[in-house]
Amino acid sequence: MKPKIVRSIEGLHRETAKWRDDGLTTAIVPTMGALHQGHLTLVAEGLEHADRVIVSIFVNAKQFGANEDLSRYPRDEAGDVAKLAEAGAHLIFAPPEKEMYGRNFATTVVLKGPAKANLEDKFRPHFFDGVATIVAKLFIQSGADFAIFGQKDYQQLQVVTHMARDLDMPIEVIGVPTVRASDGMALSSRNQYLTKTERKQATAIYKSLTQAAEKIRNGTDPQKAMRAASRSLTTLGFKVDYVTARNAETLAVPVSHSHEPLRLLAAAWLGKTRLIDNIEV
Ligand code: AMP
């Protein structure tokens, strides 16, 4: 069944109030559209947890820097609606910019902890303030019981989880493993920017992370393994922003010889496209 498309906060409240009256639980899946199987897997996860699933589609200008890809970010609402109908989402919340940031909007969620890990925050200084602010709004607007996010954006998942906990938001944040193409490449709306040749080269990110994880499991010092992964990506023509091992929860630099859980995270440019990926060890 085609999900209902709602463009106003008032309309969203009307729909969710009906569900609440009927005793139904709700999950929200925040997205920027240009949906692929990764997003649809989040919808499936939402359906596992809740009676009703809302997918928001909003390209959030506040999380893009001045020289980033806001104007060319892929948009395909008709395609997204068809995919969400197939996936069984119940409602699409696709507000215009002025609905989200009208009335002299002047509030930003300020973050510390995993948002200040010298990872995405170092290279995209506005990013997490923008993400946390829009995500907080979506949590409040929807009143959802569950929020479903991808581990693909691992630092984002940690930041949102931390924010919900710190601010006592009555919502459970659930992380879903990264959905990959058959060659290992993490699915991303931004993969559309890659040329055919670049798309083939791009698998090197996942390969270098999996090789590093293997080395670490076999006893190599994590930072040494990550330096080798970074060098190999540079040799292949990537411009590396970071390739690093971090504590899987706090994202702090791990203490050497500790047995803390590790996450390996990478961000690198291939031509004009910035790609990110991460895996557990
Ligand atoms: P985006 O629209 O790209 O900002 O992403 C919306 C949500 O989808 C975020 O929670 C992402 O982490 C998640 N997501 C994006 N790509 C994937 C993927 N390949 N596998 C799982 N989740 C993903």
Side-chain angles (χ1 to χ4, degrees), residues 29-39 41-42 56 58 63 73 127 148-154 156-157 176-180 185-190:
V29 179
T31 81
M32 298 204 299
L35 302 181
H36 51 65
Q37 193 53 45
H39 301 113
T41 303
L42 304 189
S56 63
F58 183 67
Q63 70 192 58
Y73 195 84
F127 181 65
I148 319 292
F149 286 84
Q151 291 179 355
K152 160 78 175 26
D153 300 276
Y154 192 78
Q156 169 175 285
L157 172 62
V176 174
T178 302
V179 178
R180 300 179 180 280
M185 174 80 177
L187 299 187
S188 166
S189 310
R190 289 190 167 97

Side-chain angles (χ1 to χ4, degrees), residues 25-181:
T25 56
T26 310
I28 183 158
V29 179
T31 81
M32 298 204 299
L35 302 181
H36 51 65
Q37 193 53 45
H39 301 113
L40 302 180
T41 303
L42 304 189
V43 174
E45 183 74 17
L47 290 167
E48 291 282 320
H49 292 271
D51 302 309
R52 294 288 179 268
V53 173
I54 301 169
V55 177
S56 63
I57 299 179
F58 183 67
V59 181
N60 179 34
K62 288 206 189 299
Q63 70 192 58
F64 286 77
N67 299 316
E68 292 184 357
D69 57 344
L70 174 62
S71 59
R72 68 175 186 139
Y73 195 84
R75 289 160 216 251
D76 174 22
E77 192 179 283
D80 292 345
V81 172
K83 288 174 195 161
L84 291 173
E86 181 84 8
H90 298 90
L91 192 149
I92 298 171
F93 180 47
E97 174 87 12
K98 67 176 189 321
E99 182 71 3
M100 289 305 239
Y101 296 121
R103 306 178 302 270
N104 301 322
F105 190 86
T107 302
T108 303
V109 177
V110 178
L111 307 148
K112 292 183 197 160
K116 298 283 181 233
N118 263 330
L119 297 168
E120 287 304 286
D121 50 300
K122 177 169 172 191
F123 298 93
R124 306 185 69 192
H126 303 286
F127 181 65
F128 287 119
D129 287 356
V131 166
T133 304
I134 196 72
V135 166
K137 283 171 69 70
L138 288 166
F139 285 5
I140 293 165
Q141 290 162 353
S142 66
D145 304 285
F146 302 93
I148 319 292
F149 286 84
Q151 291 179 355
K152 160 78 175 26
D153 300 276
Y154 192 78
Q155 190 180 7
Q156 169 175 285
L157 172 62
Q158 300 309 318
V159 167
V160 168
T161 304
H162 220 282
M163 174 185 73
R165 198 168 59 211
D166 287 351
L167 298 182
D168 308 304
M169 293 174 163
I171 192 164
E172 184 182 338
V173 177
I174 293 165
V176 174
T178 302
V179 178
R180 300 179 180 280

Side-chain angles (χ1 to χ4, degrees), residues 184-213:
M185 174 80 177
L187 299 187
S188 166
S189 310
R190 289 190 167 97
N191 292 354
Q192 294 182 28
Y193 300 154
L194 299 169
T195 65
K196 243 183 164 168
T197 316
E198 286 173 339
R199 172 63 189 80
K200 281 197 191 125
Q201 293 171 313
T203 58
I205 296 187
Y206 179 63
K207 278 193 200 130
S208 67
L209 288 177
T210 48
Q211 280 165 7

